Amino acid sequence: MRDSWATSRAAPPSDEDGPRGVPGVDLHLEPHGSGLRAGLMDALREAVRTGRLAPGTRLPSSRSLAVDLGVARNTVADAYAELVAEGWLTARQGSGTRVARRAEPRRPAPVPPRTRPARRGPAHSLLPGSPDLAAFPRARWLTAARRALTAAPHEAFAYTDPLGRIELRTVLADYLARSRGVYAAPERIVVCAGFIHGLMLLGRLLKARRVRAVAVESYGLDLHRNVLTEAGLRTPALAMDARGARTGELGDLPDARGVGAVLLTAAHQFPAGVALQPDRRAAAVDWARATDGLILEDDYDGEFRYDRQPVGALQGLDPERVVYLGTASKSLAPGLRLGWLVLPEELVGEVSAAKGGVDWASSSLDQLTLAEFIASGAYDRHVRSMRLRYRRRRDQLVAALADRAPGCRVTGIAAGLHAVVELPPGTERSVVEAAVWQGLAVYGMDRFRHPSVPPGPDALVVGYATPSDSAWPGALDALCRVLP
Amino acid sequence: MRDSWATSRAAPPSDEDGPRGVPGVDLHLEPHGSGLRAGLMDALREAVRTGRLAPGTRLPSSRSLAVDLGVARNTVADAYAELVAEGWLTARQGSGTRVARRAEPRRPAPVPPRTRPARRGPAHSLLPGSPDLAAFPRARWLTAARRALTAAPHEAFAYTDPLGRIELRTVLADYLARSRGVYAAPERIVVCAGFIHGLMLLGRLLKARRVRAVAVESYGLDLHRNVLTEAGLRTPALAMDARGARTGELGDLPDARGVGAVLLTAAHQFPAGVALQPDRRAAAVDWARATDGLILEDDYDGEFRYDRQPVGALQGLDPERVVYLGTASKSLAPGLRLGWLVLPEELVGEVSAAKGGVDWASSSLDQLTLAEFIASGAYDRHVRSMRLRYRRRRDQLVAALADRAPGCRVTGIAAGLHAVVELPPGTERSVVEAAVWQGLAVYGMDRFRHPSVPPGPDALVVGYATPSDSAWPGALDALCRVLP
């Protein structure tokens, strides 16, 4: 299509009062899109943008351009009028239609639409933090979407309640009580766009309450610490050991009076993999009660426990002191951007306000789809089936390492989507580098270390849920090859 | 199911070293959920929560409770062990299993899940800001979702690019160029969760750039001003007249040097309904160039223009000075939470960073569904069909008012989803109140006034797109009845 339309000559540019002696320019009109007028407008805009039609250039009269192009005069006149309204051209009595002085030329051509160059990814990934995306239950999710979309009231398409859809909150309250021992009522639940969004809302709330710091476990995700830092909060490190975070030391942190909350991965510490032991749970609650503090419980993979029933959430111990943060990112997929907060009653209003009045973050249709997905039992079935799949992989991991890397102990394997492979002292960095050469993406423990604590024992954090079933054996083999 | 399980007697509570003389309490175990152990755990948790089992209470031995309940002893022992792990109970050699001291009793009973009381809404709504939600193309949206879900690569379920899915950005670039004259390339587009999210991101960016204020039109949404205020920006008012915002006065605002951006509804001022005239567009661009300022173009309903082609977006005039904000909230539905920014090239990185590293806000599946919806032509067809529907309503509104309220002039009707009905001086408040009595929700112009400007002429802002087709005649009739 390009260059296929007639070209036409623009009259020479002129100064304010009359024609100047600049030679005429070809308009080279290149219509695209449908419709004569729209195509003409596009072509003129582009000619101005690229500088082919300079500011001040006088355009041919609509009559003569129409003749050149073989179109109705009105088509050209309308296009000119539109472009005058948009500010591209000016029309003045006696001076004709000209390119507006302000439409300054830009760089030669628009950036052509293109996809970004495909990055050569690693051949194998055992990075933690992702479920097996190939196992996303597409058909059943679509069934739920169809049911939800069919049943939704019209108001489901409107701006929605900042707490989230009541249908989802009702179903979640039941599910969380049943599967995680969470003391949940729909009125305490706020739907959010995944964990990060929930943590942003809480960071804002804590800052508004004049909290100065949130204690974090000495190993964790820098992304989470950054969210709190960006909310204006410090993130002092709480030491950990084999029984979990040393919550009894919350009162001994530097500037302890400014610490208004603690972020804990109680069911399955990320990344160390230990469960917070009963005395540590009790100490956390005691601290919160004594200091009017809050516990933020990041229950990211609480559904996945392999050798016995899941350990229930800490939240049930004191629902007025613990904020429970749950997510569909590990149980279904991060791409859904669906998470939930279960809040102390007195915080519901503040969190809702922190959302900005309307629920601007989460699609109502997605919320209704998830509600239908849980209510139909598809969620439980999916979690059960993934639990079996991940347990099998975990067992294969343990067996393979016992066989091929007997010097490396595996820990943190009772639950979750990752395990910790302990390494001989001083070898972590070289093992991670060796993995790169094997095309295997895997993180060392040190990557998750809080910057204020000294390096700990060498280890790898192995996300065994990440590969697809077909990619898993190759990834496991690559791992065994790089272990000492 | 409640109260249907056997009850059992707990042994009397005791102090640290032995039994105390408190009479035994009925456990009143009320299992819910499936599974004996899970049911027992739920029942025990609830008994502790509600205070029926006080801290320190000694529980019956697992053997005797198992006999009472007629279940296997292991079931009870496992349940006790789980609850010890969760911190609800303590187990000590020689002292048996007791309710943990820390699990302090809470208020009598959990809040029962309930939907919020149905608010009696008005019989008719002509509030602006919403499309006809009953016309949401459910079947075609679902078709697009099915296609998108079927075709999506596995990585679509992962954490995604903070710019948004490339598939959507590519399709949007084409659509925006074609329908709105926007100079768009996928690399300049950032997908966001609707306009508010986009404005939050920009507010954060401007604040980080040490901008102190964003000029806003003297009539607009307080929600938008609040987003900017919460980002730490002042929002001085820019005067308006029948040609739109008086952008030539941007340099004369108080503390003009701190004003780093201006928020404009150029295609169809909200709520006044005028289009920003060419000279005003030029003045805005001139100001931005002279002061290194930014224009934030809120193109909320640019697709809906009735009597001629839509006026193209201001953005095309200077893509390096104008941030274009578009949304699916008016063209499809607010409940989708999908919007987009088209950014000056140099800002893309900053906005992406302001999103926090991952796109935590927008579901990948929704983005792919919208991409498919646009690419298949369904979006264009929907917009065309809604344009016809809204134009018909607008014509009916104008005709009805000419007939039944000839003293009230209608303006702002060339485009958009609302019109302004001018009222005799001093009657706005009484008309809005009369509307309440008629069961008609409608806003007066004054509701949108910037607090720093004096009250303007009396008028109603009539959102004629809001009702469903079946509700529209009644709403129009109610409106005519309350007009003077």
Side-chain angles (χ1 to χ4, degrees):
Chain A
M1 284 292 285
R2 291 198 155 245
D3 282 316
S4 67
W5 204 339
T7 62
S8 179
R9 286 192 164 264
S14 66
D15 62 24
E16 287 298 305
D17 301 307
R20 276 187 288 152
V22 181
V25 290
D26 278 340
L27 283 183
H28 282 300
L29 295 178
E30 302 161 348
H32 23 71
S34 59
L36 290 174
R37 179 175 55 188
L40 179 56
M41 286 174 63
D42 280 356
L44 285 166
R45 283 198 202 98
E46 186 155 327
V48 173
R49 264 192 202 117
T50 57
R52 258 191 297 121
L53 287 180
T57 304
R58 180 172 176 167
L59 294 174
S61 72
S62 57
R63 181 194 307 268
S64 70
L65 182 56
V67 170
D68 275 10
L69 298 173
V71 302
R73 184 185 167 188
N74 271 354
T75 303
V76 179
D78 286 356
Y80 279 7
E82 300 282 342
L83 292 171
V84 168
E86 290 178 19
W88 294 91
L89 307 179
T90 58
R92 193 184 298 199
Q93 205 68 33
S95 161
T97 304
R98 290 169 188 275
V99 176
R101 295 256 167 221
R102 275 138 200 120
E104 87 179 354
R106 299 193 59 269
R107 62 212 164 83
V111 179
R114 59 181 156 86
T115 55
R116 39 179 58 194
R119 248 175 287 157
R120 277 283 297 158
H124 310 287
S125 172
L126 291 172
L127 300 181
S130 173
D132 177 353
L133 301 172
F136 183 82
R138 299 186 187 213
R140 274 168 289 154
W141 185 259
L142 193 65
T143 303
R146 181 167 43 74
R147 287 198 198 136
L149 202 53
T150 309
H154 290 321
E155 50 89 20
F157 300 101
Y159 293 99
T160 186
D161 189 330
L163 301 186
R165 291 295 302 183
I166 182 66
E167 295 92 336
L168 177 57
R169 292 186 287 122
T170 304
V171 170
L172 277 175
D174 171 67
Y175 173 79
L176 293 173
R178 172 161 62 77
S179 79
R180 303 293 302 124
V182 171
Y183 180 84
E187 292 81 355
R188 293 170 168 266
I189 297 180
V190 175
V191 179
C192 52
F195 175 85
I196 295 289
H197 182 214
L199 193 60
M200 281 176 165
L201 295 173
L202 294 171
R204 222 170 291 161
L205 174 146
L206 290 167
K207 184 70 187 171
R209 294 190 147 217
R210 310 206 176 279
V211 165
R212 293 199 297 271
V214 175
V216 298
E217 294 160 325
S218 55
Y219 283 77
L221 283 172
D222 54 359
L223 179 59
H224 297 179
R225 293 192 294 264
N226 292 346
V227 167
L228 295 169
T229 307
E230 272 167 33
L233 298 157
R234 287 186 306 108
T235 56
L238 186 62
M240 285 162 43
D241 58 28
R243 304 176 57 76
R246 295 163 67 144
T247 47
E249 297 172 10
L250 276 165
D252 306 325
L253 294 174
D255 184 22
R257 287 186 51 209
V259 178
V262 56
L263 177 62
L264 295 173
T265 48
H268 186 232
Q269 205 281 332
F270 188 90
V274 298
L276 193 65
Q277 295 301 301
D279 57 324
R280 300 286 170 85
R281 290 176 170 234
V285 173
D286 284 348
W287 169 82
R289 288 183 183 165
T291 64
D292 203 17
L294 272 183
I295 299 168
L296 314 182
E297 181 178 20
D298 173 7
D299 196 41
Y300 63 107
D301 67 357
E303 277 108 343
F304 296 103
R305 191 164 190 91
Y306 304 119
D307 304 313
R308 41 189 282 183
Q309 283 289 102
V311 177
L314 178 56
Q315 185 264 4
L317 286 183
D318 196 337
E320 306 308 330
R321 295 282 167 204
V322 183
V323 177
Y324 175 92
L325 297 103
T327 173
S329 293
K330 308 299 184 259
S331 55
L332 279 165
L336 294 178
R337 309 316 306 133
L338 282 169
W340 40 88
L341 305 176
V342 185
L343 292 160
E345 241 174 36
E346 62 165 355
L347 296 187
V348 173
E350 286 170 63
V351 170
S352 163
K355 261 192 163 185
V358 290
D359 185 359
W360 52 268
S362 306
S363 151
S364 303
L365 298 188
D366 292 344
Q367 295 185 50
L368 293 175
T369 300
L370 180 59
E372 169 63 32
F373 195 79
I374 296 174
S376 71
Y379 190 83
D380 284 76
R381 278 194 297 278
H382 180 67
V383 166
R384 260 200 308 277
S385 117
M386 296 313 288
R387 200 187 285 136
L388 286 175
R389 179 186 299 229
Y390 297 146
R391 183 167 67 182
R392 205 160 48 228
R393 289 194 195 171
R394 182 205 59 166
D395 294 345
Q396 289 164 350
L397 171 70
V398 171
L401 294 197
D403 183 34
R404 297 175 58 186
C408 300
R409 206 164 69 100
V410 194
T411 60
I413 58 176
L417 311 185
H418 70 275
V420 173
V421 177
E422 296 177 2
L423 297 172
T427 62
E428 181 178 313
R429 180 185 290 227
S430 63
V431 169
V432 170
E433 281 168 9
V436 171
W437 288 106
Q438 292 285 342
L440 168 67
V442 68
Y443 287 151
M445 193 74 177
D446 197 59
R447 191 187 176 95
F448 301 100
R449 179 168 55 86
H450 191 289
S452 77
V453 303
D458 291 47
L460 289 186
V461 179
V462 174
Y464 54 80
T466 304
S468 66
D469 263 1
S470 60
W472 162 244
L476 180 57
D477 181 61
L479 175 67
C480 290
R481 270 184 280 127
V482 302
L483 287 178
Chain B
M1 283 294 282
R2 288 196 159 244
D3 282 318
S4 67
W5 205 338
T7 62
S8 179
R9 284 190 167 265
S14 66
D15 62 26
E16 288 296 305
D17 301 306
R20 276 187 284 150
V22 181
V25 289
D26 278 340
L27 284 182
H28 281 300
L29 295 177
E30 302 162 347
H32 24 71
S34 57
L36 289 174
R37 178 175 55 187
L40 180 56
M41 287 175 64
D42 280 356
L44 285 167
R45 283 199 202 98
E46 187 155 326
V48 174
R49 261 190 205 123
T50 58
R52 258 191 296 120
L53 288 180
T57 305
R58 181 172 175 169
L59 294 175
S61 73
S62 58
R63 181 194 308 269
S64 70
L65 183 57
V67 171
D68 275 10
L69 298 173
V71 302
R73 183 180 167 191
N74 271 355
T75 304
V76 179
D78 286 358
Y80 279 7
E82 300 281 342
L83 292 172
V84 168
E86 290 178 19
W88 293 91
L89 307 179
T90 59
R92 193 185 299 200
Q93 203 71 33
S95 159
T97 305
R98 291 169 186 277
V99 176
R101 296 254 168 224
R102 275 138 199 120
E104 84 179 356
R106 297 195 59 269
R107 62 211 164 82
V111 179
R114 58 181 159 84
T115 55
R116 38 179 58 196
R119 248 174 287 158
R120 278 284 296 156
H124 310 286
S125 172
L126 291 172
L127 301 182
S130 174
D132 177 354
L133 301 173
F136 183 83
R138 299 186 187 211
R140 273 169 291 155
W141 186 258
L142 193 65
T143 302
R146 180 166 46 72
R147 285 198 199 138
L149 202 52
T150 307
H154 291 321
E155 49 90 20
F157 300 100
Y159 293 97
T160 185
D161 189 329
L163 300 186
R165 293 292 305 183
I166 183 66
E167 295 92 335
L168 177 57
R169 293 186 286 123
T170 304
V171 170
L172 276 175
D174 170 68
Y175 173 78
L176 293 173
R178 172 162 59 78
S179 79
R180 304 292 302 124
V182 171
Y183 180 84
E187 291 82 354
R188 294 171 167 262
I189 297 181
V190 174
V191 178
C192 51
F195 175 85
I196 295 289
H197 183 214
L199 193 59
M200 282 177 164
L201 295 173
L202 294 170
R204 220 170 292 160
L205 175 146
L206 291 167
K207 184 69 186 175
R209 295 191 147 215
R210 309 204 176 281
V211 165
R212 292 198 300 270
V214 176
V216 298
E217 294 160 327
S218 56
Y219 283 76
L221 283 173
D222 53 0
L223 178 59
H224 297 178
R225 293 193 294 264
N226 292 346
V227 167
L228 296 169
T229 307
E230 272 166 33
L233 299 157
R234 287 185 307 106
T235 55
L238 186 62
M240 287 160 43
D241 58 27
R243 303 175 60 75
R246 295 162 67 142
T247 47
E249 297 171 9
L250 276 165
D252 307 324
L253 293 175
D255 183 25
R257 287 185 53 209
V259 178
V262 57
L263 177 61
L264 293 174
T265 48
H268 186 232
Q269 206 281 332
F270 188 89
V274 298
L276 193 65
Q277 295 300 301
D279 57 324
R280 300 286 170 86
R281 292 177 168 232
V285 172
D286 284 348
W287 168 83
R289 288 183 183 165
T291 63
D292 202 17
L294 272 183
I295 299 168
L296 314 182
E297 181 178 20
D298 173 8
D299 197 40
Y300 63 108
D301 67 358
E303 277 108 343
F304 296 103
R305 193 165 189 89
Y306 304 120
D307 304 313
R308 41 191 280 184
Q309 282 289 102
V311 176
L314 177 57
Q315 185 265 4
L317 284 183
D318 195 336
E320 306 308 330
R321 295 283 167 202
V322 184
V323 177
Y324 175 91
L325 297 104
T327 174
S329 293
K330 308 298 183 262
S331 55
L332 278 165
L336 295 178
R337 309 316 306 137
L338 282 168
W340 39 87
L341 306 176
V342 184
L343 292 160
E345 240 172 37
E346 62 165 357
L347 296 187
V348 173
E350 286 170 63
V351 170
S352 164
K355 262 193 161 186
V358 290
D359 186 357
W360 53 268
S362 305
S363 152
S364 302
L365 298 187
D366 292 344
Q367 294 184 50
L368 293 176
T369 300
L370 180 59
E372 169 64 33
F373 196 80
I374 296 174
S376 71
Y379 190 83
D380 284 74
R381 279 194 297 278
H382 179 68
V383 166
R384 259 200 308 277
S385 119
M386 295 311 289
R387 200 187 285 135
L388 287 175
R389 178 185 300 230
Y390 297 146
R391 183 167 68 181
R392 206 160 47 227
R393 290 195 194 171
R394 182 204 62 165
D395 293 345
Q396 289 163 350
L397 171 71
V398 171
L401 294 195
D403 184 31
R404 296 175 59 185
C408 301
R409 205 164 68 102
V410 196
T411 62
I413 56 176
L417 312 186
H418 70 274
V420 172
V421 177
E422 297 178 1
L423 297 173
T427 62
E428 181 179 313
R429 178 185 290 228
S430 63
V431 169
V432 171
E433 282 168 7
V436 172
W437 288 106
Q438 293 284 340
L440 169 67
V442 68
Y443 288 151
M445 194 74 178
D446 198 58
R447 190 187 176 97
F448 302 99
R449 178 169 55 87
H450 191 288
S452 77
V453 304
D458 292 46
L460 289 185
V461 180
V462 175
Y464 54 82
T466 303
S468 66
D469 263 1
S470 60
W472 162 244
L476 180 56
D477 181 59
L479 175 68
C480 289
R481 271 184 278 126
V482 302
L483 288 177

